[in-house]
Amino acid sequence: MKKTIAMMMTGLMVLSLSACGSGATSKEANATETSTEVAAEATTEQTVGLANPWREATEEECNQLAGNGFSAPDGASNVKWSIMDTGEEYRELVQMCFDLDGLSFTARQQNTGDEPQDISGMFYEWAAEEDVTLANWAGGNMKGTVKRFIGDDRYIDVCTWYDVETGASYSLSTEGKDLDGFDIQAVAEAIYDPDKQFGANAPEDAGELMEHERYVDIEGCDTFTQIVDKLPAGYGYTNATIGDTDVLLVTNQTFDDLDGHNAAIDAEVFTYTESGTPQYAGYIEAGGTAYPLAVNSGKLYAGGNHFMKVYTMSYGFPCWDEYAWEEFDTNGNATYLYRSDIKSISEVGADPDTGELKDDSVLQRLYDESFSGEVLNFDVIK
């Protein structure tokens, strides 16, 4: 299904390049036979009224839909953001166009899951292709590819890379009459935005997004049952459905919540990959035994005295559906804040730039949802 959608999008993306002032002509582009056929079909459809698949969007909307990791670099002008809806939730293709130093650039990002995809929309017979390592991205260890097309009257440069941690594919492209001496890799490094990376600017109590010392070994395990069979005495486990994903939660310590549950305040999360093997997906932690892990309407709740986190699943990994917390200044005055990995924070009245809320009503709502949910009951290994 993923590959089918990718092929459908290929034709659309070839058409969409005109939105940023660059695109392949039939004379210069030497695409694969399949790509050429798709592009030709799309061109025929366009002549009879094919709607533009792109729609204008704000930078905030693109960030909420795809968690995009880039921003316009210093000195950029004419910055424009847009989105192509693919029909799959959270797999929208986001695009940022900008001008810099006399060239026009197109940056794209899309969540493509377990495998990288070329989302640039560029299909040429490349004159040069080089594997590179991008600075900034992935702590300076991001692998990427730089390609160049040389035509009769123009050059086209493309840089593509894939973040294995988030499942996001990226591309950056530009064209010019002569790009000798130009380094597109440097621009790809310059658009990196540390404040947009997963878990960036999280409050101190967001422990599950920080470094976690794993306590469950799944090496050699092909099923959840095999993981459970390896657990030592005292560990607890439970199965749950979060969003539409079946997960295994494992904790190294449970407690009696006095309501008949072997409850826990933290757990490692395991899911199945698309190939059917189990994988470590993340770590979730509440702030104390007053806030045992609980599920309500298919969402997982983990809270503390000053925060409540609500999780759903995205591409097999837990993410914040909602996260509200409060901070206090030296005079004891509270500020209420909010963020989400998958929705616009403006929907709940949060400031789109700072995440600040007017009052504690959202936080209190999340507390109510958590306390009315079902506390997870862990089976304890004897």
Side-chain angles (χ1 to χ4, degrees), residues 166-360:
T166 64
S169 293
Y170 292 87
S171 72
L172 177 71
S173 59
T174 190
E175 70 172 78
K177 291 185 177 180
D178 186 352
L179 296 179
D180 274 348
F182 170 71
D183 184 9
I184 195 171
Q185 177 181 344
V187 183
E189 294 168 348
I191 65 175
Y192 172 83
D193 189 338
D195 291 332
K196 287 185 176 179
Q197 305 311 305
F198 187 67
N201 301 321
E204 293 181 358
D205 55 21
E208 79 285 352
L209 294 180
M210 309 307 172
E211 190 67 26
H212 165 64
E213 185 175 350
R214 299 267 305 274
Y215 50 70
V216 177
D217 177 16
I218 66 170
E219 185 176 357
C221 295
D222 296 321
T223 63
F224 285 169
T225 299
Q226 291 178 1
I227 295 176
V228 171
D229 289 342
K230 294 179 64 174
L231 298 179
Y235 277 49
Y237 67 93
T238 189
N239 296 96
T241 300
I242 309 301
D244 58 359
T245 303
D246 294 328
V247 305
L248 172 68
L249 299 163
V250 177
T251 183
N252 62 356
Q253 185 175 357
T254 63
F255 66 95
D256 184 352
D257 72 344
L258 304 181
D259 286 323
H261 301 105
N262 292 318
I265 63 170
D266 75 319
E268 292 186 350
V269 182
F270 300 91
T271 60
Y272 283 110
T273 66
E274 291 186 0
S275 61
T277 58
Q279 66 179 347
Y280 171 76
Y283 174 71
I284 291 175
E285 183 179 23
T289 57
Y291 305 92
L293 300 180
V295 172
N296 192 341
S297 299
K299 297 177 182 179
L300 180 60
Y301 289 73
N305 290 336
H306 303 290
F307 70 93
M308 182 58 68
K309 292 170 274 192
V310 185
Y311 295 89
T312 187
M313 302 295 292
S314 179
Y315 307 111
F317 296 90
C319 64
W320 289 331
D321 182 74
E322 294 191 87
Y323 186 176
W325 72 98
E326 57 186 359
E327 296 178 354
F328 296 88
D329 62 21
T330 56
N331 295 320
N333 299 312
T335 299
Y336 302 98
L337 300 160
Y338 181 90
R339 63 174 295 174
S340 171
D341 288 330
I342 62 174
K343 64 179 64 173
S344 171
I345 63 176
S346 300
E347 293 179 8
V348 299
D351 184 284
D353 296 319
T354 66
E356 187 170 340
L357 295 162
K358 296 179 179 179
D359 54 36
D360 68 343

Side-chain angles (χ1 to χ4, degrees), residues 22-92:
S22 63
T25 65
S26 58
K27 178 180 179 180
E28 292 176 326
N30 187 0
T32 64
E33 182 179 353
T34 300
S35 298
T36 302
E37 290 174 355
V38 173
E41 292 172 3
T43 302
T44 301
E45 290 176 3
Q46 188 182 46
T47 62
V48 294
L50 178 66
N52 186 349
W54 293 97
R55 61 181 175 86
E56 293 184 1
T58 64
E59 181 174 359
E60 179 202 357
E61 184 179 8
C62 291
N63 191 27
Q64 292 296 332
L65 285 174
N68 64 286
F70 51 67
S71 292
D74 291 341
S77 61
N78 196 28
V79 181
K80 297 179 180 179
W81 293 83
S82 55
I83 293 173
M84 177 191 282
D85 293 316
T86 66
E88 284 192 288
E89 192 174 18
Y90 309 135
R91 294 212 178 193
E92 292 84 354

